[in-house]
């Protein structure tokens, strides 16, 4: 698995590439990109970029391109800015228009008013109808396979191609491989430890992520072993289990996020919660900060370096059996 990051030193910020610099691959326009919702052709290098869904703005910013509009991320930022903390340093004081988009409703008039040259929705849940309406406004780059399941490598490569910066996107991928390799080398305590990832969105059930989910494979890239107890198939990217089945989450370390503090408290105080092997062994990592929850759920070229200095110490404590239940 190749992961994407724009930084190889684990700092919170990264220096964007110069979008005016010549690409080693000699990107020329028009370019055509295949997506699950249709083939899109971009006739000229985009100057006005709008992004919807998760993460595409991270790639654009890392490539030195500031969107004129991007999805309002209020609820995931931990504050009321609507802008993710790793994006703010690369906006250079500019304030893109925030778009209050959702899977159910996309503000087409607001997007049209921004006169975009391209709409990036590479990791999104666009429907066929939504895609058709957006393509009337500008060329729209949708997801390559399934909604909300675009890999970091695919997202970086697709955004790079759409912006005429393929070589620079490849460089970001290479830098991230180095960053992840260093994290693995720095934490030999992860080797041989099994890992699982879950979430609590209701008080009477629990969600366990698939072995193939990016949250889990990211942890595998750090040196953990994916627990065989994790499901390989489900209708979505996670399987729902009852509280009576919590003890089947058989791993040395369990990472989990929660929809609210109330849900977390009720689940963690359930006698059944203590039956989870990782909880018994003090290998449990609850994620409560909204930005951290988002960063670990949607790892991108910018969220990864921001996340690592916060995530790795928590994982290290859990791998060493030193992570008490909060």
């Amino acid at each position: 698995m190749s992961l994407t990051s724009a930084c190889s030193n684990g700092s919170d910020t990264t220096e964007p590439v110069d979008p005016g610099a010549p690409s080693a691959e000699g990107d020329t326009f028009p370019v055509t990109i295949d997506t699950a919702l249709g083939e899109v052709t971009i006739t000229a290098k985009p100057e006005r970029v709008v992004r919807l869904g998760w993460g595409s703005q991270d790639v654009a910013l890392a490539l030195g391109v500031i969107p004129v509009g991007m999805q309002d991320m209020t609820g995931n930022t931990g504050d009321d800015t609507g802008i993710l903390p790793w994006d703010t340093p690369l906006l250079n004081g500019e304030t893109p228009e925030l778009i209050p988009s959702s899977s159910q409703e996309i503000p087409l008039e607001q997007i049209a008013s921004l006169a975009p040259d391209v709409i990036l929705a590479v990791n999104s849940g666009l429907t066929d109808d939504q895609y058709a309406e957006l393509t009337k406004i500008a060329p729209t780059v949708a997801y390559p396979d399934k909604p909300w399941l675009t890999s970091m490598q695919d997202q970086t490569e697709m955004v790079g191609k759409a912006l005429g910066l393929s070589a620079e996107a490849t460089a970001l991928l290479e830098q991230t491989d180095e960053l992840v390799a260093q994290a693995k080398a720095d934490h030999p305590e992860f080797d041989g430890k099994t890992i699982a990832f879950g979430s609590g969105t209701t008080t009477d059930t629990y969600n366990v992520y698939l072995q193939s989910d990016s949250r889990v494979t990211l942890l595998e890239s750090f040196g953990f072993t994916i627990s065989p107890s994790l499901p390989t198939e489900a209708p979505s990217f996670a399987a729902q289990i009852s509280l009576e089945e919590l003890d089947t989450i058989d791993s040395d370390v369990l990472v989990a996020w929660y929809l609210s503090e109330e849900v977390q408290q009720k689940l963690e105080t359930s006698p059944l919660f203590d039956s989870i092997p990782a909880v018994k062994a003090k290998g449990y990592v609850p994620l409560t900060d909204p930005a951290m929850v988002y960063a670990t759920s949607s790892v991108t070229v910018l969220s990864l370096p921001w996340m690592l200095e916060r995530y790795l110490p928590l994982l290290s404590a859990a791998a060493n059996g030193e992570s008490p239940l909060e």
Side-chain angles (χ1 to χ4, degrees):
M1 177 185 179
S2 180
L3 304 173
T4 52
S5 170
C7 173
S8 60
N9 60 12
S11 63
D12 277 7
T13 61
T14 182
E15 291 296 325
V17 301
D18 177 3
S23 169
E25 294 186 3
D27 286 8
T28 59
F29 288 86
V31 298
T32 299
I33 301 173
D34 290 325
T35 81
L37 300 183
E39 188 178 83
V40 56
T41 298
I42 303 167
T43 59
K45 188 177 180 68
E47 295 183 2
R48 297 181 62 81
V49 176
V50 164
R51 82 91 179 162
L52 299 173
W54 286 5
S56 293
Q57 88 286 347
D58 289 3
V59 183
L61 287 168
L63 292 172
V65 177
I66 299 176
V68 295
M70 56 191 197
Q71 188 158 325
D72 187 343
M73 297 304 296
T74 299
N76 296 294
T77 61
D79 56 29
D80 59 359
T81 65
I83 299 174
L84 295 162
W86 47 87
D87 289 336
T88 301
L90 297 185
L91 291 175
N92 296 331
E94 297 186 29
T95 305
E97 185 164 334
L98 298 183
I99 302 168
S101 178
S102 69
S103 298
Q104 291 74 38
E105 185 175 356
I106 295 176
L108 297 172
E109 291 185 6
Q110 181 185 10
I111 293 170
S113 71
L114 296 172
D117 299 318
V118 68
I119 299 169
L120 302 175
V122 178
N123 190 15
S124 70
L126 290 182
T127 65
D128 288 323
D129 289 344
Q130 290 169 338
Y131 178 77
E133 291 300 317
L134 287 170
T135 57
K136 295 176 184 177
I137 299 172
T140 301
V141 186
Y143 41 88
D145 186 16
K146 297 180 180 180
W148 301 117
L149 290 176
T150 306
S151 71
M152 289 173 287
Q153 180 160 349
D154 284 346
Q155 184 173 61
T156 304
E157 291 176 345
M158 292 173 74
V159 171
K161 185 174 183 179
L163 299 179
L165 297 167
S166 293
E168 291 83 353
T170 297
L172 295 180
L173 289 165
E174 292 172 350
Q175 291 168 10
T176 296
D177 285 341
E178 295 174 2
L179 180 62
V180 171
Q182 188 61 54
K184 181 177 180 179
D186 289 343
H187 292 279
E189 69 272 21
F190 298 165
D191 185 36
K193 299 290 185 178
T194 54
I195 193 78
F197 205 117
S199 69
T201 54
T202 67
T203 59
D204 55 357
T205 60
Y206 210 70
N207 307 303
V208 183
Y209 287 93
L210 298 181
Q211 293 185 20
S212 59
D213 185 80
S214 62
R215 299 165 181 81
V216 178
T217 56
L218 173 66
L219 292 164
E220 181 185 30
S221 72
F222 295 156
F224 286 101
T225 299
I226 297 175
S227 169
S229 70
L230 293 187
T232 57
E233 295 181 1
S236 185
F237 39 77
Q240 191 175 81
I241 63 174
S242 68
L243 299 188
E244 288 74 20
E245 298 173 292
L246 285 175
D247 62 352
T248 65
I249 308 174
D250 188 8
S251 62
D252 297 311
V253 176
L254 169 65
V255 182
W257 67 269
Y258 297 89
L259 187 63
S260 68
E261 290 183 3
E262 180 183 6
V263 170
Q264 179 186 5
Q265 182 179 21
K266 287 187 177 180
L267 285 170
E268 289 182 346
T269 55
S270 166
L272 296 169
F273 196 81
D274 290 334
S275 68
I276 300 173
V279 173
K280 289 181 181 178
K282 295 186 177 181
Y284 169 55
V285 181
L287 300 177
T288 55
D289 175 66
M292 269 296 288
V293 170
Y294 179 85
T296 54
S297 299
S298 177
V299 186
T300 70
V301 294
L302 296 183
S303 68
L304 182 59
W306 180 93
M307 172 229 302
L308 282 184
E309 67 177 42
R310 297 160 175 82
Y311 204 18
L312 291 174
L314 297 175
L315 294 172
S316 181
N320 289 322
E322 300 170 352
S323 181
L325 179 63
E326 292 184 352

